Amino acid sequence: DTEVTQTPKHLVMGMTNKKSLKCEQHMGHRAMYWYKQKAKKPPELMFVYSYEKLSINESVPSRFSPECPNSSLLNLHLHALQPEDSALYLCASSQGPRMNTEAFFGQGTRLTVV
Amino acid sequence: QQQVKQSPQSLIVQKGGISIINCAYENTAFDYFPWYQQFPGKGPALLIAIRPDVSEKKEGRFTISFNKSAKQFSLHIMDSQPGDSATYFCADILTGGGNKLTFGTGTQLKVEL
């Protein structure tokens, strides 16, 4: 199983809402990532978790709050988002930090903030 | 965050032709250079990758050429097919920096019949 599963596939939320994006992998990977991708742009790194600990935060606004409950799950909690936060949010995982191995990406959650 | 320059931005190739996409990097600490393919509405998928101690790697119709002295690497797609039409991203990984995977700007490839 080389799959990274993201839910939901689509999400529409108001600026005062609180919602969460979920990501799951069962490949035994110990590094997990959140990326944000705007239309016709490359994915931009937001957060990296290594062995369930946050190792990289690319100066992401606090309205995005990541959580890694265990080695298979990664959440992204959303609160008080702005319309410009509308994008495709991608989760990825790789075997581990300090290893040149493939990062597997999920299909993404298409987020629209209204 | 952008550390890899990619060109061209878009590319149209006839079926059976060769598609060539180029990338240039600055940080010599990068130690892994993957290429990702992304279809509309899908997440990126790894196509092929190379380490800087190798000058060329071939997998099927896809070849990476790596020029360490020029800090450049390129993707060649031989016998391009309409099914290859997608966006291609080069990337680099700084494993000493917590496996920070950074993408190039992307190339939208269209293969015409």
Side-chain angles (χ1 to χ4, degrees):
Chain A
D1 181 10
T2 57
E3 195 172 303
V4 175
T5 303
Q6 289 188 244
T7 55
K9 287 187 169 51
H10 301 274
L11 178 63
V12 179
M13 62 183 291
M15 289 188 284
T16 58
N17 291 160
K18 285 185 181 180
K19 296 287 185 182
S20 297
L21 309 184
K22 298 187 184 300
C23 174
E24 190 168 4
Q25 57 89 12
H26 296 288
M27 295 177 277
H29 289 173
R30 303 313 299 270
M32 296 186 75
Y33 314 76
W34 280 114
Y35 282 82
K36 173 183 177 179
Q37 187 176 25
K38 301 281 266 185
K40 298 190 183 301
K41 296 290 187 182
E44 291 186 356
L45 183 64
M46 300 175 71
F47 303 104
V48 180
Y49 272 83
S50 297
Y51 293 97
E52 295 117 68
K53 292 190 188 312
L54 184 65
S55 60
I56 296 178
N57 176 343
E58 290 288 285
S59 302
V60 179
S62 60
R63 58 185 184 269
F64 296 92
S65 176
E67 178 196 21
C68 190
N70 59 56
S71 61
S72 299
L73 294 174
L74 186 66
N75 298 321
L76 186 63
H77 302 297
L78 314 173
H79 173 56
L81 295 193
Q82 303 297 310
E84 58 265 29
D85 296 321
S86 298
L88 181 68
Y89 288 84
L90 294 161
C91 173
S93 70
S94 66
Q95 193 168 337
R98 300 185 183 279
M99 296 181 71
N100 298 343
T101 59
E102 177 177 359
F104 291 85
F105 282 81
Q107 298 297 290
T109 294
R110 176 73 61 187
L111 174 68
T112 302
V113 181
V114 296
Chain B
Q1 189 178 114
Q2 193 57 50
Q3 300 183 72
V4 181
K5 292 183 171 60
Q6 184 173 343
S7 63
Q9 188 173 347
S10 62
L11 181 61
I12 299 175
V13 174
Q14 295 300 308
K15 180 183 175 183
I18 302 174
S19 304
I20 302 175
I21 304 171
N22 301 298
C23 282
Y25 65 98
E26 296 176 351
N27 189 341
T28 54
F30 293 134
D31 47 11
Y32 188 58
F33 296 89
W35 283 91
Y36 281 83
Q37 179 189 56
Q38 186 175 28
F39 293 103
K42 305 290 186 183
L46 181 71
L47 200 58
I48 187 172
I50 198 168
R51 295 173 57 93
D53 54 354
V54 176
S55 61
E56 185 174 284
K57 183 175 181 181
K58 184 175 181 179
E59 289 183 2
R61 296 185 294 110
F62 302 93
T63 300
I64 298 180
S65 297
F66 190 87
N67 186 331
K68 190 173 182 178
S69 61
K71 294 192 282 187
Q72 294 177 346
F73 58 110
S74 60
L75 175 69
H76 293 233
I77 306 175
M78 311 300 287
D79 187 27
S80 299
Q81 299 297 312
D84 297 330
S85 298
T87 301
Y88 293 81
F89 295 99
C90 62
D92 50 57
I93 295 179
L94 193 61
T95 55
N99 258 38
K100 187 171 176 177
L101 172 63
T102 305
F103 288 87
T105 48
T107 296
Q108 196 163 1
L109 170 65
K110 183 177 181 181
V111 181
E112 294 183 335
L113 293 168

